[in-house]
Amino acid sequence: MTFGVAFAVVRVLVRYASVMDACGLTVPPSRLRLAVARITNQPVPQSRAPRILRLRPTRTGLVLRVKLRAGQDAFDFVAASDRLRHSFVMQNVTAREIRSGVVELRMTGYDVLKRVHMPTLAAGAGPMRVPVAMREDGEVFYRDYRQTPHALNVGATQSGKSVYQRNLIAGLAALDVALVGIDCKQGVELAPLARRFTALADNPDTAAELLDALVEHMADVYQLIRREQRLSADVPDAEITADIWDLPDHLRPTPIVLVVDEVAELALYASKDEEKRRDRIITALVRLAQLGRAAGIYLEICGQRFGSELGKGITMLRAQLTGRTAHRVNDETSANMAFGDIAPDAVVATIQIPTDRPGTAVAGDSSGGWVRIRTPHLTLRRAVNLCNTHSERTPSVPALDPFRPVLPSPVKVPAAAAETAPALA
């Protein structure tokens, strides 16, 4: 334990009772204690603060777990978090309910989002769980596809949306997963990472065909699950499956993550033919969002705006995107598109993101909870190298073979410059 952490622990313990009283987080003494003090001519008992259950130092601050007194509520601590921050002289204090009667206060001693340092080995990573950013409370923010299958990522230009996407793809590159990309900006964002992509579309026409192929693949996976359910009387309940994760390893299809770089380019149209193509694309996306989870197909939808002005079917698609991440936006309406229907408080936090902190975002889900995060800067060169390193993990999905990205021919590097040249895409 460093001197700074030890000093913070002592400061919290010494000032705990007085701070809780000043912040209105104490309860008056019971009538029994008052009566006993009167009978025995003792001083009047003081108000009681919540009892400390555990205090644990962390890499960025302290974690304090307290037992609530009778009549207290976890919301009282959430509402007083800003007062606690000033009273304990901390950078940030967040409160959350662990279980009935127990609240955890997570305190950070410095601004962890000012300069993001991700842990070298992020504990808690799993088969479909990728560390993407750092939370303001000092914890790692994970993108967990098993828990939150589909997500929406919005943000203005130069807000850090593309860097978030790069970190996500770089994390997925090391997993046994098929990456499918749609980048209608002629592939400028995703084409450099093509060696790790199973399928890639760089224009709306190809995207429509690719999405139709994904829908057909989803139907084939459901047929496989149906054949393997084995609904006989002698089969234990634990062996009956309704998704790919309970299938035997040799039968389980490869999970697929579909990354759409700019969804507005798929929804806009200027002619009748383009309108038909647009309806076809949105219909396929809605089907994948509604039915794809059990088939191991997960959506990551990115865009600058994602509102009803993009046409019919957009709000139906947005309703299926449980995870929400909003970077800096240019107007309150864009923030409402992400959080207005699930967490109104997050709307205010989103429009307050400063312009000089790219990568800062507000992340939430349909439960109403939200947190500020910031993605570490990852250059395109570094992301390309990571994808190239894991290119042998790129699986082949027969239904998507026609959309396999065409890789550029390797560039010959002179022998004298070979040692200093970066890895080629």
Side-chain angles (χ1 to χ4, degrees):
M1 183 184 300
T2 63
F3 175 78
V5 174
F7 180 74
V9 171
V10 173
R11 184 176 62 202
V12 169
L13 292 177
V14 169
R15 305 183 62 185
Y16 176 74
S18 61
V19 167
M20 290 295 165
D21 187 39
C23 294
L25 298 176
T26 57
V27 296
S30 64
R31 293 183 179 180
L32 177 61
R33 294 182 64 195
L34 291 173
V36 171
R38 234 180 355 253
I39 294 172
T40 59
N41 292 323
Q42 297 293 326
V44 177
Q46 300 295 320
S47 298
R48 294 178 297 168
R51 182 163 56 91
I52 297 177
L53 297 179
R54 187 173 68 181
L55 191 150
R56 176 172 58 89
T58 65
R59 187 173 63 92
T60 59
L62 303 173
V63 175
L64 183 66
R65 190 167 291 186
V66 299
K67 174 70 175 177
L68 302 186
R69 299 290 186 181
Q72 290 186 320
D73 185 79
F75 178 76
D76 298 336
F77 288 81
V78 176
S81 59
D82 201 49
R83 297 195 296 273
L84 290 171
R85 176 174 70 90
H86 290 291
S87 301
F88 283 126
V89 195
M90 291 288 180
Q91 174 67 30
N92 185 57
V93 175
T94 58
R96 67 186 183 98
E97 183 178 354
I98 300 299
R99 59 180 183 274
S100 179
V102 178
V103 168
E104 182 180 87
L105 301 175
R106 187 171 292 272
M107 309 178 186
T108 53
Y110 63 96
D111 189 358
V112 297
L113 300 185
K114 184 176 181 180
R115 189 173 181 182
V116 179
H117 294 282
M118 295 286 287
T120 304
L121 296 175
M128 294 298 293
R129 195 166 188 252
V130 181
V132 181
M134 183 67 73
R135 295 161 45 119
E136 65 177 341
D137 59 5
E139 291 291 292
V140 177
F141 176 75
Y142 292 91
R143 177 69 177 93
D144 192 341
Y145 287 93
R146 296 286 299 275
Q147 182 179 0
T148 309
H150 314 304
L152 171 65
N153 177 20
V154 299
T157 303
Q158 295 295 316
S159 64
K161 186 171 74 275
S162 296
V163 176
Y164 176 93
Q165 182 178 277
R166 273 183 222 155
N167 277 273
L168 181 63
I169 294 173
L172 290 170
L175 306 181
D176 294 324
V177 60
L179 294 175
V180 177
I182 297 178
D183 181 6
C184 290
K185 294 187 293 186
Q186 300 299 314
V188 295
E189 292 287 349
L190 300 182
L193 315 175
R195 292 188 184 276
R196 187 55 185 85
F197 274 79
T198 298
L200 186 63
D202 60 3
N203 61 79
D205 291 326
T206 308
E209 297 175 3
L210 173 57
L211 291 172
D212 288 342
L214 272 175
V215 172
E216 293 178 5
H217 171 74
M218 179 178 66
D220 294 339
V221 172
Y222 274 120
Q223 290 297 324
L224 171 63
I225 296 173
R226 189 69 181 88
R227 289 195 301 268
E228 295 299 322
Q229 282 183 318
R230 300 172 297 175
L231 297 179
S232 58
D234 57 343
V235 176
D237 292 343
E239 296 184 10
I240 300 176
T241 180
D243 59 33
I244 67 169
W245 297 107
D246 292 327
L247 292 174
D249 292 343
H250 67 283
L251 291 177
R252 182 182 304 135
T254 303
I256 297 174
V257 175
L258 171 62
V259 180
V260 180
D261 182 67
E262 186 54 69
V263 68
E265 289 299 317
L266 300 177
L268 298 176
Y269 62 90
S271 64
K272 285 292 184 181
D273 292 337
E274 291 182 358
E275 183 181 7
K276 293 179 181 178
R277 182 194 64 198
R278 179 251 179 223
D279 293 342
R280 175 183 165 194
I281 289 174
I282 299 302
T283 300
L285 283 174
V286 171
R287 285 179 176 171
L288 292 172
Q290 290 179 337
L291 308 174
R293 181 205 59 82
I297 300 176
Y298 307 102
L299 305 186
E300 199 73 33
I301 308 296
C302 305
Q304 296 185 30
R305 288 176 65 88
F306 197 79
S308 57
E309 70 270 11
L310 295 180
K312 59 182 180 181
I314 287 296
T315 54
M316 184 185 299
L317 175 59
R318 185 177 62 191
Q320 302 295 327
L321 305 177
T322 306
R324 307 287 175 88
T325 302
H327 292 75
R328 177 182 54 81
V329 293
N330 292 327
D331 58 340
E332 185 177 350
T333 305
S334 297
N336 274 313
M337 293 174 187
F339 295 115
D341 54 343
I342 60 172
D345 292 343
V347 175
V348 179
T350 301
I351 61 179
Q352 292 176 347
I353 295 176
T355 57
D356 59 348
R357 282 202 175 185
T360 304
V362 174
D365 54 41
S366 58
S367 66
W370 59 273
V371 65
R372 290 183 183 88
I373 64 172
R374 192 178 187 190
T375 311
H377 182 66
L378 180 66
T379 64
L380 183 58
R381 175 76 271 164
R382 178 62 177 159
V384 168
N385 290 345
L386 289 171
C387 288
N388 291 349
T389 301
H390 299 289
S391 60
E392 72 281 354
R393 290 181 175 270
T394 306
S396 176
V397 179
L400 304 179
D401 283 344
F403 307 96
R404 192 86 174 188
V406 178
L407 302 177
S409 302
V411 180
K412 293 183 179 180
V413 180
E419 296 181 0
T420 60
L424 296 174

